[in-house]
């Protein structure tokens, strides 16, 4: 196991300005900004200012697909299978629009530990005929896999679930879910927001139908860019009803009437891409590719174990699995007065967040030192000590 003294990943700290000023334990929410984003934003502004409308054909039009290739490389996706979108909720809408809920196969199975925006979206599809079944957690940490698999039956159309649960960092058995879904003819929409960039994801090996997530957390890519992987064989035949001119075979013919779909990835896009967000995403994606998810995962397992150990020494409740193979990059600690503790940590430049039924979430990333973990937990001890006085 790697220890701090030979942690070569710490050399990347210099790439992230905020690490000079803060104890940055919040990459599960917003990854630190790479220094390279300043340059990326400047060249975006320069292209707009000096090339004007020509910037589209000189780079901007292709950017949505190019960034998709960079994201796809991190999850072993075939080239051209990843489209880019503004957020994960829109990715769900693209997927839903490929299907029809009016027939017998109209069931959607998901877990109450999904990210709420994703739940709100699927619940709203009841109005279009979807029968929605939410599988409930018993302990607030894990999704009961047997109940989830049982709920996926011959009438199931879609299974939108998180790979890593945002509240507890529990890693779901995506392989078992995909296998069961495929046995009964259902499709899985795997939300890899909380895994990609921290926990290895291999969409080809999983044989998953769809995978989606955003780049702003573990990929250090900033807000405004999400990705949607569609399995290549499905990508050739699906026809999203949430569509637009980017998905047309000949966008610049401005044809009237119904769409003639182009090939993926543009087939799954619709309107104009968010160019500044795509440009801002690239420096982070490049650093993650260079560091490598395997090395990030090894360090994350070690540091999350250390956080759990420190929290348990204080007797605080940990709402994250103890088994490393079941645990993503976040440790949720529900110490007494956790919401106020979170606020006080922020006042002290220790950046974490708080979520109901989770507690204070601490998320070290490849740029975190062991000393930062000790300091964060030490500060919590101090804050609680001061409150007790
Ligand atoms: C698992 C997961 N899915 C989705 C989201 C966000 O969805 P959206 O991109 O639609 O804001 C988050 C967090 O912000 C998340 O943790």
């Amino acid at each position: 196991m790697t220890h701090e003294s030979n942690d070569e990943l710490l050399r990347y700290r210099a790439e992230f300005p905020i690490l000079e000023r803060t104890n940055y334990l919040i990459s599960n929410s917003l990854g630190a900004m790479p220094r390279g984003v300043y340059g990326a934003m400047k060249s975006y502004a320069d292209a707009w200012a000096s090339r004007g409308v020509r910037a589209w054909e000189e780079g901007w039009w292709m950017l949505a697909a190019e960034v998709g290739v960079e994201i796809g490389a991190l999850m072993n996706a075939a080239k051209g299978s990843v489209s880019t979108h503004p957020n994960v909720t829109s990715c769900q809408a693209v997927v839903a629009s490929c299907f029809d809920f009016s027939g017998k196969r109209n069931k959607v199975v998901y877990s109450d530990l999904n990210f709420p925006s994703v739940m709100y979206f699927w619940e709203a599809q009841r109005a279009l005929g979807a029968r929605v079944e939410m599988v409930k957690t018993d302990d607030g940490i894990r999704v009961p896999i047997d109940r989830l698999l049982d709920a996926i039956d011959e009438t199931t159309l879609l299974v939108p679930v998180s790979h890593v649960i945002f509240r507890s960092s529990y890693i779901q058995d995506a392989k078992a879910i995909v296998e069961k879904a495929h046995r009964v003819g259902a499709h899985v929409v795997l939300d890899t927001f909380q895994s990609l960039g921290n926990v290895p994801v291999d969409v080809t090996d999983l044989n998953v139908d769809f995978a989606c997530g955003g780049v702003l957390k573990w990929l250090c890519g900033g807000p405004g860019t999400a990705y949607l992987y569609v399995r290549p064989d499905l990508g050739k035949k699906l026809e999203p009803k949430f569509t637009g001119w980017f998905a047309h075979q000949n966008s610049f013919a401005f044809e009237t009437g119904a769409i003639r779909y182009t090939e993926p990835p543009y087939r799954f896009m619709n309107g104009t891409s968010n160019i500044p967000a795509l440009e801002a995403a690239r420096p982070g994606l490049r650093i993650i590719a260079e560091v490598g998810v395997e090395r990030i995962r090894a360090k994350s397992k070690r540091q999350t174990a250390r956080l759990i150990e420190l929290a348990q020494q204080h007797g605080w409740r940990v709402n994250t699995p103890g088994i490393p193979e079941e645990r993503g990059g976040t440790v949720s600690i529900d110490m007494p007065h956790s919401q106020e503790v979170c606020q006080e940590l922020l006042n002290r430049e220790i950046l974490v967040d708080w979520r109901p039924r989770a507690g204070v979430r601490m998320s070290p990333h490849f740029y975190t030192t062991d000393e930062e973990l000790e300091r964060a937990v030490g500060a919590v001890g101090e804050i609680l000590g001061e409150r007790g006085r």
Side-chain angles (χ1 to χ4, degrees), residues 70-209:
E70 287 174 32
I71 296 168
L74 298 173
M75 54 181 176
N76 194 26
K79 264 201 181 133
S81 59
V82 178
S83 52
T84 49
H85 303 267
N87 56 55
V88 161
T89 312
S90 337
C91 296
Q92 310 292 312
V94 172
V95 173
S97 81
C98 295
F99 296 93
D100 174 9
F101 298 100
S102 66
K104 279 214 178 85
R105 190 183 280 280
N106 61 355
K107 187 174 172 187
V108 174
V109 176
Y110 76 87
S111 139
D112 65 344
L113 290 178
N114 270 12
F115 190 76
S117 191
V118 173
M119 283 187 224
Y120 305 151
F121 175 82
W122 290 106
E123 288 290 336
Q125 303 315 300
R126 289 178 190 273
L128 296 180
R131 276 185 309 121
V132 181
E133 181 170 341
M134 178 171 81
V135 176
K136 293 202 174 139
T137 176
D138 293 323
D139 59 2
I141 296 175
R142 294 174 182 80
V143 178
I145 183 77
D146 292 342
R147 255 184 281 145
L148 183 80
L149 297 184
D150 284 349
I152 304 171
D153 61 19
E154 275 72 15
T155 66
T156 305
L157 185 56
L158 291 161
V159 185
V161 285
S162 296
H163 188 198
V164 170
I165 303 299
F166 82 103
R167 226 186 271 278
S168 62
S169 210
Y170 171 61
I171 305 178
Q172 293 220 75
D173 188 347
K175 196 146 210 175
I177 298 168
V178 172
E179 275 168 15
K180 174 67 199 275
H182 288 182
R183 224 177 303 137
V184 296
H187 295 90
V188 175
V189 190
L190 192 65
D191 180 344
T192 51
F193 215 140
Q194 291 289 356
S195 51
L196 192 64
N198 184 266
V199 173
V201 177
D202 185 328
V203 288
T204 305
D205 178 57
L206 284 173
N207 195 24
V208 70
D209 309 284

